[in-house]
Amino acid sequence: MQFIGKYDPLKNEKIQILDNQGNIINNNIEFDISDETLIEAYKIMNLSRKQDEFQNIVQRQGRLLSFLSSSGQEACEVAYAMSMEKGVDWLSPGYRNNAAWLASGIPVRNIMLYWTGNEFGGQSPEGINVLPPNIIIGSQYSQAAGLAFGEKYLNKKGVVLTTTGDGGMSEGEVYESMNFAQLHNLPVIFICENNKWAISTPYSKSTKSLNIAVKAIASGTPSLIVDGNDFLACYAVIQECLKFCREGNGPVFIEFDTYRLGAHSSSDNPDVYRPKDEFEKAKLDDPLTRMKNYLVEKGIWSKKKQEALDSEQFEFLKTEFEWAEKNKDYPVSDVFDYIYDQKPDFLVEQLAEAKTFYPDNENKFGGDK
């Protein structure tokens, strides 16, 4: 182990390999990653950023209900999601994990379908263990601990990853989950993507802790702080943490130090509350710029390849959204069918009333059911 137990959150020690220009500044860290994996990771990061930009446009046109952008957080999200073993490991995400969903194998059209309001967009294809986006802050930590308990109880090999933001770390459920996982020695990686803003509440007003990672120490869970905009550091750390969990050592906590470059949601205007100079400074640490510079310096990326990728991904996003728009409708009974195994009387009555009120919606389906 070169990270767990070596980097001390109580000393605010942060793991970093690349500086914000994409230069390697820490030659003491060993990491093993192929050029093919690096390029694949960068393409997913770029796609997620382009998807955010595209969805902002169509949302303003009234063609998308809402969405929450991952811009600025692509490096850590792609690193941990790419590292999961498909069909074995699990991801219990929050609502701001677009890049992680893509890297996990969730189709773009499913994600778009979800943001049009069709819940089948949140359903993972066969073989991809990703739970639907969790809107309630911090509750995905409990679900992750429960999943990990099931994996251990059934003698399976899966590790469960879950993530919340800095605001979520103030929820009691988060500590309860870590305490439960530590007590039962469960294979779960608790992640905080500390993007410095909980809607309009700055990090400085949400906690007086030295950092987020120290909050795990009270439950006995080993924790690390990582530069969340540095793909190489994120990837190296997550590899070690997965190995740590698979070997039966219990849970681990990672704080990815990052920044939310976009708005909280497509209904939000961060210019109202976020200092302009802070935002301009954060842009200098953009994970895409850092990664691209590293790949160019390594001789495996170029301006010509970037232009071709941007054009290809823009056309791809247009095609996927056209499909999502055509398939966004769903039967009104879907709103009532997935809450209880057997619908109680009051829901039966409400469903009958809804069918009368929306008679044209009962036979419409969208998504890959």
Side-chain angles (χ1 to χ4, degrees):
M1 296 288 170
Q2 58 177 336
F3 304 118
I4 299 172
K6 305 288 176 57
Y7 283 80
D8 188 356
L10 290 170
K11 295 178 182 176
N12 242 341
E13 293 177 331
K14 183 164 66 176
I15 302 161
Q16 186 178 11
I17 296 177
L18 296 174
D19 67 11
N20 67 0
Q21 295 301 306
N23 303 305
I24 291 183
I25 57 171
N26 191 342
N27 289 307
N28 296 321
I29 295 178
E30 296 178 2
F31 58 94
D32 182 20
I33 182 168
S34 68
D35 289 351
E36 289 75 20
T37 302
L38 284 169
I39 290 175
E40 180 188 357
Y42 178 68
K43 286 182 175 179
I44 298 172
M45 291 167 64
N46 198 70
L47 176 61
S48 184
R49 181 68 62 90
K50 296 296 175 192
Q51 186 183 346
D52 277 357
E53 294 168 358
F54 181 88
Q55 290 183 173
N56 259 317
I57 293 171
V58 294
Q59 197 276 336
R60 292 295 185 266
Q61 293 171 345
R63 300 161 67 190
L64 197 70
L65 291 180
S66 176
F67 81 98
L68 293 103
S69 158
S70 283
S71 288
Q73 302 174 208
E74 295 93 343
C76 55
E77 291 194 14
V78 172
Y80 65 70
M82 272 187 74
S83 299
M84 294 167 55
E85 186 174 345
K86 284 186 172 55
V88 175
D89 297 329
W90 288 84
L91 176 63
S92 176
Y95 47 64
R96 189 186 309 287
N97 288 131
N98 193 76
W101 296 330
L102 293 175
S104 300
I106 304 290
V108 170
R109 59 177 55 186
N110 285 38
I111 301 170
M112 290 175 163
L113 196 67
Y114 176 80
W115 293 119
T116 64
N118 188 318
E119 290 292 336
F120 279 100
Q123 187 179 51
S124 295
E126 189 71 28
I128 297 177
N129 296 341
V130 179
L131 300 187
N134 200 313
I135 303 299
I136 302 170
I137 305 297
S139 62
Q140 61 270 35
Y141 265 46
S142 292
Q143 294 164 10
L147 265 173
F149 188 89
E151 288 291 309
K152 183 177 180 181
Y153 182 77
L154 296 172
N155 289 318
K156 292 188 172 182
K157 304 295 183 184
V159 175
V160 184
L161 292 83
T162 187
T163 177
T164 189
D166 43 300
M169 292 304 298
S170 295
E171 296 290 336
E173 195 168 359
V174 165
Y175 173 77
E176 293 162 8
S177 306
M178 290 192 288
N179 192 54
F180 180 85
Q182 187 62 32
L183 276 171
H184 294 280
N185 206 44
L186 303 180
V188 54
I189 300 175
F190 295 107
I191 293 170
C192 172
E193 295 173 48
N194 181 0
N195 67 19
K196 311 300 185 296
W197 287 90
I199 309 183
S200 58
T201 300
Y203 175 73
S204 60
K205 291 187 177 179
S206 66
T207 183
K208 291 294 184 183
S209 286
L210 175 66
N211 51 59
I212 293 288
V214 297
K215 296 190 176 192
I217 295 175
S219 67
T221 303
S223 60
L224 298 164
I225 307 170
V226 186
D227 183 338
N229 291 357
D230 175 352
F231 177 81
L232 294 187
C234 297
Y235 190 83
V237 168
I238 203 72
Q239 298 298 313
E240 180 172 300
C241 290
L242 283 165
K243 184 173 184 289
F244 180 85
C245 290
R246 290 197 208 286
E247 290 178 347
N249 295 304
V252 63
F253 178 90
I254 306 171
E255 175 187 355
F256 287 120
D257 182 25
T258 182
Y259 194 86
R260 190 190 81 205
L261 289 177
H264 166 69
S265 75
S266 54
S267 303
D268 172 60
N269 178 11
D271 293 339
V272 173
Y273 55 81
R274 187 171 61 191
K276 186 176 180 182
D277 58 341
E278 178 189 298
F279 174 63
E280 293 299 326
K281 184 180 177 184
K283 285 199 296 185
L284 300 177
D285 291 325
D286 190 324
L288 264 76
T289 303
R290 189 185 302 200
M291 183 73 158
K292 183 169 67 175
N293 288 348
Y294 172 69
L295 298 181
V296 170
E297 183 64 25
K298 199 174 169 58
I300 58 176
W301 199 248
S302 65
K303 182 179 179 182
K304 187 176 179 182
K305 288 181 178 177
Q306 182 68 48
E307 290 173 349
L309 179 67
D310 288 342
S311 176
E312 174 191 325
Q313 290 186 339
F314 178 72
E315 291 302 320
F316 173 65
L317 290 168
K318 277 178 56 182
T319 302
E320 292 299 281
F321 187 67
E322 286 170 3
W323 180 92
E325 275 196 309
K326 288 177 183 174
N327 293 276
K328 66 181 180 181
D329 292 336
Y330 55 90
V332 69
S333 56
D334 271 12
V335 178
F336 303 87
D337 281 347
Y338 306 107
I339 302 171
Y340 296 96
D341 180 45
Q342 291 187 328
K343 279 191 280 293
D345 291 343
F346 74 93
L347 276 186
V348 173
E349 293 174 10
Q350 289 180 18
L351 173 57
E353 185 177 350
K355 283 183 175 179
T356 302
F357 196 78
Y358 299 107
D360 296 335
N361 282 72
E362 190 45 34
N363 296 315
K364 293 182 178 179
F365 279 95
D368 295 324
K369 294 189 68 174

